[in-house]
């Protein structure tokens, strides 16, 4: 019996049972904390009541998605060295968030990215643009997570027919909607804290187990992976497995790296986490906690990836129902049989659940706070309860769209889908955030040019790239309408968005230097910033 068949015959009841325990425990916690979610600031920002350490663990929970756990381990197992480049990009990106964004954002905004961008601009236009880009980035990211849920189910429960996978994607979506509607940001944060702890402990157990099999000698582990791969073995230790065969693929790598490094500081669901702490100091502390936890986790993925290559084999991984995404579960099965597989399966499900909950609350908050309260009601929405009610209804709609999109995207490589979300965030959000915080002359026209221009260029280049059509691994392999040669558009769209922001500002006569002075003082000192709410 080969391992792929063994996985299909693994104990589905055990896998579901462990996951059900996680869901029940987190739902109980979400119900309990929801009692103290009475106001808009509770629902959106958990009353600014979490400590830096708690928020750092939650950020790492929000950030270490199914793509990190399943996609990267699979890429390393199959492609070796180049697979680890995702880990490097995801981690280095946090330095941009720490040094340029976290503290200033916490001081300047209230609940959403739109608060910061519209601080000294014409409110309604900039909020509309900010909400549009938030919703697009969140939707791309949600697609990736939901597609991951479908692949996991195929692997762990032996559900290979599309209807069965669609049903499980719908169940994941329904639980996520419950978390967000009942618990708001406070409940979602606790789900992320629990999930981060589960993921790091689960990965640590497998990390130690794999190293233990090779006498805690990394060289022996790498040698085992090379030996298992046969003739292709040496290539696992050298660059060029994924990128480097041609000039285009080298450019593709640079483009991907830019998207990963600059995308993190523009991801709306990460930016929104900075509002859950009482002060800028705690925001900084939470990023330092997140960097440590995420860095340790990505070191684990290196060993897990090569361990899967050595103990399972790239041939078995690529032939399994979930493809590359099945490397970590297959490794768990090879190490500890059905019990460890069940635990890792539950961790992977919990990972998807926590991340989609974070994305959904961000998207719903952006719609309710930026579009409903500040554009439709023109900032005169006195009834904060109505705003929160709109946020909950939006969460329901976004959840339904995520389920439909996840069913449609089922089977795609999730690391690639996440990289596209990062490219959109880096193109549409980051230039505008940095210009708003650091450039005195920047104005409404520049913000709109940068957000809409960056978003449009990025999405158009993605649609006409080999990622969507024309290749074996494309979304639509049977048709070919690709004219842009790179799978990731970051190398074009990110500089273009910065340029558009500059040109739009220079061509406009609008001036708001006085407002910039106020924003600068507030962003650097915290004077006038939102304070924690004590019940």
């Amino acid at each position: 019996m080969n391992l792929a068949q063994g996985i299909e015959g693994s104990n589905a009841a055990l896998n579901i049972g462990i996951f059900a325990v996680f869901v029940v425990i987190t739902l109980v916690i979400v119900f309990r904390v929801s009692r103290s979610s009475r106001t808009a600031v509770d629902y959106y920002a958990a009353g600014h009541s979490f400590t830096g350490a708690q928020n750092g663990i939650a950020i790492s929970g929000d950030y270490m998605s199914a793509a990190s756990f399943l996609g990267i381990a699979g890429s390393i197992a199959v492609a070796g060295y180049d697979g680890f480049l995702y880990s490097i990009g995801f981690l280095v990106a946090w330095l941009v968030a720490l040094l340029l964004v976290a503290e200033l954002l916490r001081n300047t905004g209230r609940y959403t990215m739109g608060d910061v961008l519209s601080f000294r601009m014409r409110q309604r236009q900039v909020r509309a643009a900010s909400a549009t880009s938030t919703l697009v980035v969140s939707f791309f990211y949600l697609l990736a997570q939901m597609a991951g849920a479908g692949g996991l189910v195929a692997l762990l429960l032996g559900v290979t027919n599309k209807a069965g996978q669609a049903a499980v994607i719908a169940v994941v979506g329904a639980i996520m909607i419950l978390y967000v509607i009942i618990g708001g940001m406070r409940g979602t944060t606790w789900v992320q804290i629990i999930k981060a702890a589960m993921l790091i402990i689960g990965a640590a157990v497998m990390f130690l187990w794999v190293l233990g099999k090779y006498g805690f000698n990394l060289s022996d582990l790498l040698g085992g992976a090379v030996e298992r791969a046969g003739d292709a073995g040496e290539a696992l230790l050298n660059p060029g497995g994924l990128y480097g065969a041609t000039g285009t693929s080298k450019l593709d790598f640079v483009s991907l790296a830019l998207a990963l490094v600059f995308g993190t500081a523009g991801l709306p669901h990460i930016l929104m986490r900075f509002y859950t702490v009482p002060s800028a100091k705690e925001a900084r502390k939470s990023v330092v906690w997140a960097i440590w936890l995420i860095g340790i986790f990505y070191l684990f993925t290196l060993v897990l990836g090569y361990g899967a290559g050595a103990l399972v084999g790239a041939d078995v991984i690529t032939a399994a129902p979930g493809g590359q995404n099945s490397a970590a579960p297959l490794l768990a099965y090879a190490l500890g049989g059905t019990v460890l597989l069940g635990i890792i399966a539950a961790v992977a499900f919990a990972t998807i659940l926590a991340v989609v909950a974070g994305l959904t609350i961000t998207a719903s908050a952006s719609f309710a706070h930026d579009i409903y309260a500040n554009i439709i009601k023109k900032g005169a929405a006195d009834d904060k309860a109505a705003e929160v009610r709109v946020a909950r209804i939006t969460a329901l709609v976004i959840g339904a769209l995520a389920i439909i999109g996840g069913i449609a995207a089922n089977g795609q490589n999730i690391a690639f889908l996440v990289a596209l979300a990062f490219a959109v965030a880096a193109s549409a959000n980051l230039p505008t955030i940095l210009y708003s915080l650091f450039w005195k002359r920047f104005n409404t026209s520049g913000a709109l040019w940068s957000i809409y221009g960056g978003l449009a260029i990025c999405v158009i280049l993605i649609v006409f790239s080999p990622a969507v059509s024309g290749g074996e691994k494309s979304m639509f392999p049977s048709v070919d309408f690709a004219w842009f040669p790179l799978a990731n558009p970051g190398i074009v769209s990110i500089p273009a968005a910065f340029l558009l922001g500059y040109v739009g500002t220079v061509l406009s006569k609008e001036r708001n230097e006085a407002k910039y002075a106020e924003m600068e003082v507030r962003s650097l000192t915290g004077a006038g910033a939102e304070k924690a709410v004590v019940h």
Side-chain angles (χ1 to χ4, degrees), residues 61 105 109 153 167 200 218 224 230 235 262 275 301 308 322 326 332 335 428 438 441 452 466-467 490 496 514 516 529:
L105 202 81
V153 175
I200 289 171
L218 187 61
F262 292 116
Y275 298 131
T301 62
S326 54
L335 291 171
F438 297 108
R441 173 86 195 275
Y452 286 130
Y516 174 76

Side-chain angles (χ1 to χ4, degrees), residues 308-321:
L311 298 170
V312 179
D315 50 340
V316 178
I317 291 166
T318 46

Side-chain angles (χ1 to χ4, degrees), residues 458-469:
C458 192
V459 171
I460 289 166
L461 292 182
I462 287 169
V463 169
F464 293 105
S465 75
V468 173
S469 71

Side-chain angles (χ1 to χ4, degrees), residues 138-152:
S138 299
F139 187 69
F140 263 114
Y141 217 110
L142 272 170
L143 268 190
Q145 302 307 319
M146 293 304 223
L152 253 184

Side-chain angles (χ1 to χ4, degrees), residues 24 44 70 174 180 269 272 274 305 319 326 372 384 410 465 475:
V24 169
Y44 293 139
L70 304 175
V180 173
H269 67 293
M272 194 169 170
F274 296 135
S326 54
Y372 172 76
K384 286 293 180 187
N410 191 4
S465 75
M475 244 174 175

Side-chain angles (χ1 to χ4, degrees), residues 101 105 113-114 116-121 125-127 129-130 133 262 265-266 271 424-439 442-455 494 496-502 505 516 519:
V101 174
L105 202 81
M113 187 175 78
V116 178
L117 300 186
S118 64
F119 192 92
R120 58 194 181 96
M121 315 284 180
Q125 292 163 299
V126 174
R127 281 190 186 276
S130 167
S133 100
F262 292 116
L271 297 177
V424 175
S427 307
N429 296 349
L430 186 68
T432 326
I433 291 169
L434 293 182
Y435 278 147
S436 290
L437 291 171
F438 297 108
W439 188 22
F442 193 54
N443 56 31
T444 306
S445 167
L448 298 178
W449 279 42
S450 182
I451 293 176
Y452 286 130
L455 190 62
I494 298 169
F498 274 104
L499 182 64
L500 284 168
Y502 174 78
T505 300
Y516 174 76
M519 184 176 180

